[in-house]
Amino acid sequence: DVKVTQSSRYLVKRTGEKVFLECVQDMDHENMFWYRQDPGLGLRLIYFSYDVKMKEKGDIPEGYSVSREKKERFSLILESASTNQTSMYLCASSPLMIEQLNTEAFFGQGTRLTVV
Amino acid sequence: GDSVTQMEGPVTLSEEAFLTINCTYTATGYPSLFWYVQYPGEGLQLLLKATKADDKGSNKGFEATYRKETTSFHLEKGSVQVSDSAVYFCALADYKLSFGAGTTVTVRA
């Protein structure tokens, strides 16, 4: 089974802290994604990566950065956490060219981050 | 850019009722389309998918047909059960994966 593992289920951080959310996948997928999920807004794409050291901005990248030093690991970084970044964060992975292959994206369980 | 517009909820139904959740999309290319489901307390999982126009995806009694002419991918189930209570997300994949806002469905016994 494909496994996408997020390092924490719940996190509480203080305003201004630097926060790292880690995601690891075990299926040698090229693509990895970070989303935030908020009620009424669905999943919004923050950043994605299609290869090691490559990254692309999604729809809401402001206030976030990412790192992909190894193929299996994709980190989301909140440089200076703010209360409006309180949310559920979801990581996903998929093979490359998902639109051309009969495949899908696989999701982690999510990290619920609270910034106080 | 590419986007997905999904019927707003919440939707509340009785068991054995017919369920439809509308989904339309905007895309420049030829995306694949998906429905994902999130059961209470669980992560997102794929419900069904379609990779080209006129394809029908189906799973667990749910169906959706990729309609290029109407840019739609509506989800349907003929007779829902309490266990179908969940949040349903329509999604589009081209070079990235974009989601709709999600529809919360509650099925009452």
Side-chain angles (χ1 to χ4, degrees):
Chain A
D1 274 356
V2 173
K3 198 148 190 187
V4 179
T5 304
Q6 295 183 229
S7 53
S8 304
R9 289 297 300 272
Y10 301 94
L11 275 179
V12 179
K13 297 292 182 181
R14 295 196 180 277
T15 301
E17 275 193 78
K18 189 169 186 176
V19 181
F20 293 85
L21 302 183
E22 306 287 345
C23 176
V24 177
Q25 51 97 1
D26 65 0
M27 279 302 290
D28 201 37
H29 285 165
E30 293 84 3
N31 285 344
M32 294 190 76
F33 307 85
W34 273 107
Y35 296 88
R36 62 178 284 176
Q37 181 179 6
D38 300 288
L41 298 176
L43 273 70
R44 293 181 290 168
L45 182 63
I46 304 172
Y47 269 95
F48 65 103
S49 168
Y50 53 87
D51 200 354
V52 175
K53 297 192 186 294
M54 304 303 291
K55 61 184 179 185
E56 293 280 346
K57 291 181 179 178
D59 301 316
I60 52 162
E62 297 78 19
Y64 303 94
S65 62
V66 290
S67 172
R68 192 158 181 207
E69 296 297 318
K70 294 185 177 182
K71 191 175 186 180
E72 68 271 18
R73 186 179 297 270
F74 192 37
S75 303
L76 179 69
I77 303 156
L78 287 66
E79 296 290 343
S80 177
S82 64
T83 54
N84 63 13
Q85 293 178 309
T86 292
S87 186
M88 172 70 85
Y89 289 87
L90 296 175
C91 175
S93 75
S94 78
L96 199 62
M97 307 294 275
I98 185 174
E99 72 278 16
Q100 294 188 17
L101 300 174
N102 191 21
T103 184
E104 64 185 269
F106 297 86
F107 282 82
Q109 286 293 94
T111 297
R112 185 164 292 282
L113 173 67
T114 303
V115 182
V116 297
Chain B
D2 295 354
S3 66
V4 177
T5 301
Q6 188 175 339
M7 183 178 95
E8 290 187 21
V11 175
T12 303
L13 302 162
S14 298
E15 246 184 340
E16 300 183 5
F18 184 86
L19 172 67
T20 299
I21 304 175
N22 290 341
C23 173
T24 57
Y25 68 90
T26 303
T28 52
Y30 302 95
S32 292
L33 300 174
F34 304 83
W35 278 99
Y36 277 81
V37 59
Q38 188 176 37
Y39 297 105
E42 298 186 17
L44 263 79
Q45 56 186 276
L46 181 70
L47 181 60
L48 53 83
K49 63 183 179 229
T51 57
K52 61 183 187 296
D54 300 324
D55 270 2
K56 178 187 280 189
S58 61
N59 186 26
K60 298 182 180 181
F62 289 89
E63 292 184 341
T65 301
Y66 189 166
R67 300 283 188 204
K68 192 164 181 285
E69 63 277 12
T70 55
T71 62
S72 65
F73 192 55
H74 304 322
L75 182 69
E76 296 181 338
K77 185 172 185 180
S79 176
V80 294
Q81 305 300 313
V82 172
S83 57
D84 294 322
S85 297
V87 184
Y88 294 83
F89 293 93
C90 186
L92 171 159
D94 44 24
Y95 68 99
K96 62 180 182 178
L97 185 60
S98 301
F99 283 81
T103 302
T104 300
V105 174
T106 302
V107 180
R108 295 185 299 199

